[in-house]
Amino acid sequence: MNMIELTGITKRFGDHEVLKQVDLTVKKGEVVVILGPSGSGKSTLLRCATFLEEPDAGTVRIGEHEIPAGGSQTREKTAKIRALRQNTGFVFQLFNLFPHKTALQNVMEGPVVVKKMPEAQAKSLALKLLAKVGLADKADAYPSRLSGGQQQRVAIARALAMEPLVMFYDEPTSALDPELVREVLHVMKDLASEGMTMVVVTHEMEFAREVANRVIFMDGGVIVEEGTAEEVFGNPKEDRTRRFLYHVQK
Amino acid sequence: MLLTHLPFLLEATLVTVGLAVASMLIGLVIGVFTALARISKNKLLYRISSTYVSVIRGTPALVQIYIVYYGLPQIGIELDPITSGIVALSINAGAYLSESFRAAIQSVDKGQLEAAYMLGMTYGQAMRRIIIPQSIRTAIPPIGNTYIGLLKETSLVSVITVTELLQMTSLLIAKTFEPLTYYLIAALIYWALSSGFSYLQSRLEIRVTRHVRQ
């Protein structure tokens, strides 16, 4: 069963076409890593799939939530987008934790406000998730007191608190000091092994090799090549892929 | 002589503070809603709120007070002097405060709204829970300036027979013929009120910014 189906996703910023009719399907429990040079459209693809950017054309389906692009922003469409987002965990490059709330409150916020979960129940869920990402002892810390790696792990816990069907990661380790990257990737690996459906935009080749079921290489707003990590890294068919890999692996 | 007049001055000071606080509180409510209207995508709300802000900021507060007290009775709305004063000053402060709020709301990082949206929040929930609480930090200094301005502008309502600090001072001068003494005392009281408030404001700023890395 396909958990995610993106069909014909097109996005323009002014005259520049960032995504050109991109199709992508992800099966339940599959981990897909998207690679590509900056400006290739990989982050925009995740943002279009969650309507943080409205696609100019195409259809997004996540689970049973299917939304075609375009049309007017009716109340009905806004509600559908909200339902789709509730089922999609999104991890941002710059964490975007809420600075006026503690780690615990950050994780509780979604269940309490959106799902109207009772405080006590949300608190025990949040504590469980903070323990899962190895931060049980930081529950009462404000984000400004946490390292980048810790902040990103709280952000992952915050996304998981909504019990999403899929997790999107938009360059989750790009803003981290090298020594902090591993702790975040470790949490992501654990999630993958538990069967979470994940789409990860990253430059971490090691992670792609170890965890990804499928690697996608994007350039110029299209998917240039896809396959297993072995296929794409070991024997790239396309010239553009080869050039990119040559530069990042150097 | 001065001592016997002191109770009158203190009473009038209370009127001044009351005017300022009441107008500020109402002005804050007007300001928040006007700010939200100014950043809304609804064109009608945007037009109305922008016109309000432009008109109020572009006309003297004294004229606004005259319109409320002397003008409105012509269309059947008669308010007593104090109410007129509070209405005019609230409307005036609301326009300035809305600009402070708008700037503060827009200064919150865009990623905060996106993070709230990705939890499935509505625009209203995101504003209430995430954006507005963070914008208050940024808004405190300009709000403080507006309040101090408002405190001094309360002296304008002396022209519509409200016995606040300046009006009382004038009455006492008419009795004693000592303008320098009494105007200096009035100035001193205004200054003390402003300084006291500035102190409170700086304490508040420290409190609400304690979790934020500057």
Side-chain angles (χ1 to χ4, degrees):
Chain A
M1 176 197 145
N2 288 332
M3 188 63 102
I4 303 170
E5 271 183 20
L6 306 180
T7 326
I9 300 294
T10 300
K11 178 69 189 174
R12 282 175 222 99
F13 291 122
D15 287 339
H16 181 53
E17 206 169 34
V18 187
L19 293 174
K20 298 166 185 163
Q21 303 235 8
V22 176
D23 296 326
L24 174 67
T25 58
V26 181
K27 286 200 267 305
K28 188 169 189 290
E30 197 180 12
V31 177
V32 173
V33 165
I34 305 181
L35 299 170
S38 65
S40 59
K42 51 199 195 311
S43 286
T44 309
L45 185 63
L46 292 190
R47 296 173 59 81
C48 280
T50 48
F51 288 83
L52 289 176
E53 305 285 353
E54 172 85 30
D56 291 308
T59 301
V60 176
R61 184 178 70 73
I62 294 176
E64 59 195 18
H65 306 276
E66 182 173 318
I67 307 175
S72 54
Q73 287 291 344
T74 56
R75 225 167 246 272
E76 195 195 346
K77 179 165 180 186
T78 315
K80 280 172 88 175
I81 290 175
R82 223 162 38 232
L84 177 138
R85 285 172 177 164
Q86 279 183 44
N87 287 287
T88 309
F90 201 104
V91 176
F92 297 88
Q93 183 178 357
L94 298 173
F95 334 129
N96 296 351
L97 286 182
F98 306 132
H100 58 306
K101 294 179 183 292
T102 62
L104 182 71
Q105 289 166 340
N106 264 278
V107 182
M108 287 171 66
E109 189 69 7
V112 169
V113 176
V114 178
K115 289 187 169 172
K116 313 289 178 211
M117 187 185 282
E119 293 259 346
Q121 194 187 337
K123 188 174 173 183
S124 76
L125 170 69
L127 286 171
K128 204 180 77 192
L129 288 169
L130 284 175
K132 187 187 173 89
V133 299
L135 290 171
D137 56 328
K138 298 290 183 188
D140 295 323
Y142 283 87
S144 58
R145 298 266 162 225
L146 299 174
S147 73
Q150 291 170 332
Q151 288 191 55
Q152 194 60 299
R153 285 187 281 152
V154 174
I156 292 173
R158 177 177 68 178
L160 291 175
M162 292 302 288
E163 293 172 325
L165 295 171
V166 303
M167 287 284 283
F168 286 173
Y169 300 83
D170 186 9
E171 305 205 25
T173 57
S174 301
L176 298 178
D177 292 333
E179 75 273 19
L180 302 177
V181 169
R182 202 148 42 109
E183 64 190 53
V184 173
L185 294 181
H186 181 75
V187 168
M188 292 167 62
K189 271 181 213 169
D190 280 352
L191 271 175
S193 66
E194 287 167 23
M196 176 61 80
T197 309
M198 314 211 298
V199 181
V200 187
V201 169
T202 186
H203 296 294
E204 294 293 329
M205 308 300 235
E206 199 56 36
F207 177 82
R209 230 178 243 116
E210 282 178 44
V211 185
N213 302 107
R214 188 151 48 108
V215 171
I216 286 177
F217 175 71
M218 281 185 77
D219 193 14
V222 295
I223 292 176
V224 174
E225 182 161 357
E226 62 180 302
T228 64
E230 264 170 44
E231 288 166 359
V232 175
F233 295 153
N235 185 21
K237 292 185 205 63
E238 300 290 328
D239 215 32
R240 275 192 283 182
T241 318
R242 232 171 279 145
R243 272 204 305 271
F244 174 77
L245 291 173
Y246 174 74
H247 285 294
V248 293
Q249 283 171 336
K250 202 162 53 170
Chain B
M1 190 69 155
L2 193 61
L3 275 179
T4 58
H5 289 155
L6 215 52
F8 294 105
L9 284 170
L10 288 180
E11 204 186 310
T13 303
L14 283 181
V15 175
T16 288
V17 171
L19 278 170
V21 170
S23 309
M24 188 67 186
L25 292 178
I26 302 171
L28 283 171
V29 176
I30 299 175
V32 169
F33 283 102
T34 307
L36 290 174
R38 289 264 277 166
I39 55 175
S40 109
K41 282 180 196 146
N42 185 312
K43 287 212 176 84
L44 185 66
L45 282 180
Y46 175 79
R47 285 266 171 75
I48 293 172
S49 54
S50 301
T51 308
Y52 158 64
V53 172
S54 166
V55 167
I56 296 300
R57 297 213 306 170
T59 55
L62 191 56
V63 174
Q64 295 160 16
I65 292 167
Y66 278 144
I67 288 174
V68 172
Y69 185 64
Y70 293 116
L72 290 186
Q74 202 186 328
I75 54 166
I77 303 171
E78 285 191 45
L79 304 171
D80 64 66
I82 293 225
T83 313
S84 301
I86 292 175
V87 167
L89 292 174
S90 305
I91 292 175
N92 184 276
Y96 286 94
L97 289 169
S98 75
E99 285 295 277
S100 307
F101 279 128
R102 186 174 65 113
I105 288 171
Q106 287 175 334
S107 76
V108 175
D109 182 66
K110 194 166 76 69
Q112 291 290 310
L113 187 61
E114 292 186 346
Y117 276 161
M118 282 316 302
L119 292 176
M121 286 194 203
T122 63
Y123 179 75
Q125 286 169 335
M127 279 290 157
R128 263 200 317 282
R129 304 277 313 181
I130 307 301
I131 308 300
I132 291 177
Q134 290 185 62
S135 67
I136 285 173
R137 299 169 218 287
T138 325
I140 286 175
I143 288 174
N145 289 340
T146 304
Y147 180 76
I148 287 173
L150 185 61
L151 193 66
K152 292 181 290 180
E153 271 181 9
T154 56
S155 61
L156 293 175
V157 302
S158 60
V159 300
I160 56 170
T161 73
V162 176
T163 317
E164 42 62 73
L165 183 54
L166 184 61
Q167 173 80 347
M168 180 59 80
T169 307
S170 305
L171 292 174
L172 293 176
I173 290 167
K175 267 193 186 171
T176 59
F177 304 106
E178 289 182 43
L180 183 61
T181 316
Y182 280 87
Y183 281 134
L184 281 177
I185 290 172
L188 197 66
I189 294 174
Y190 280 116
W191 182 57
L193 291 175
S194 305
S195 313
F197 176 75
S198 293
Y199 173 73
L200 288 179
Q201 182 195 332
S202 63
R203 292 294 300 271
L204 186 66
E205 257 175 72
I206 293 167
R207 241 186 89 78
V208 300
T209 51
R210 76 205 135 144
H211 303 308
V212 187
R213 197 181 275 158
Q214 291 296 327

